[in-house]
Amino acid sequence: METSTSSNTITVETRVHATLQKVWECWTEPEHIVHWNFAGEDWHCPTAENDLQPGGKFSWRMEAKDGSMGFDFSGTYILIHDRESIRLTLDDDRKVHLQFRDRGGIVEIIEIFEPESVNELSLQRQGWQAILDNFRKYTESLSTKS
């Protein structure tokens, strides 16, 4: 999918061939998050905790499969509109806004986030897009199973 960058945010997006209910479930339930929340095949997400409510915390562990590095992707939910949007603040105070748009059998996900100052913008965009692409592949694989 096409991505855009402004001076303050980066936007990544995808379209998932699944129901809105399935997309929401896969995005928010820890038993699904661990299957898609990583940017490359040499990484994984061994644990995920998710308290999906305003003021609720989330923590999704991302680790290299060889154990060489890892980090927690974590923060606090600010606003939840069920199956429509999520606003959250990461532990480093960056803001993230997710939108879920039902297009009749296809769900468009738009993720807008404030970049951090350590890594290049293009690297951040690529990483977040890769995770979103993993989400799409995982969710679509569930939707094709009966």
Side-chain angles (χ1 to χ4, degrees), residues 29-99:
E29 295 180 6
E31 60 267 26
H32 291 293
I33 295 167
V34 296
H35 293 286
W36 59 262
N37 187 46
F38 44 88
E41 291 298 318
D42 51 345
W43 282 73
H44 67 144
C45 179
T47 61
E49 297 175 12
N50 205 34
D51 182 14
L52 186 68
Q53 63 179 330
K57 305 276 187 190
F58 67 92
S59 181
W60 307 347
R61 182 74 184 162
M62 299 170 121
E63 291 182 358
K65 287 181 179 176
D66 67 5
S68 63
M69 60 182 357
F71 63 94
D72 292 320
F73 181 77
S74 55
T76 304
Y77 290 109
I78 304 304
L79 186 63
I80 310 287
H81 286 130
D82 189 39
R83 291 173 280 182
E84 290 181 17
S85 67
I86 298 172
R87 289 188 184 270
L88 58 92
T89 301
L90 298 174
D91 284 343
D92 63 5
D93 290 325
R94 293 183 297 135
K95 306 292 187 251
V96 179
H97 180 205
L98 289 135
Q99 300 170 30

Side-chain angles (χ1 to χ4, degrees), residues 7 24 29 40 48 64 70 74 82 85 88-89 119 128-129 141 144:
S7 58
W24 189 260
E29 295 180 6
S74 55
D82 189 39
S85 67
L88 58 92
T89 301
N119 294 295
W128 284 60
Q129 184 67 55
S141 77
T144 59

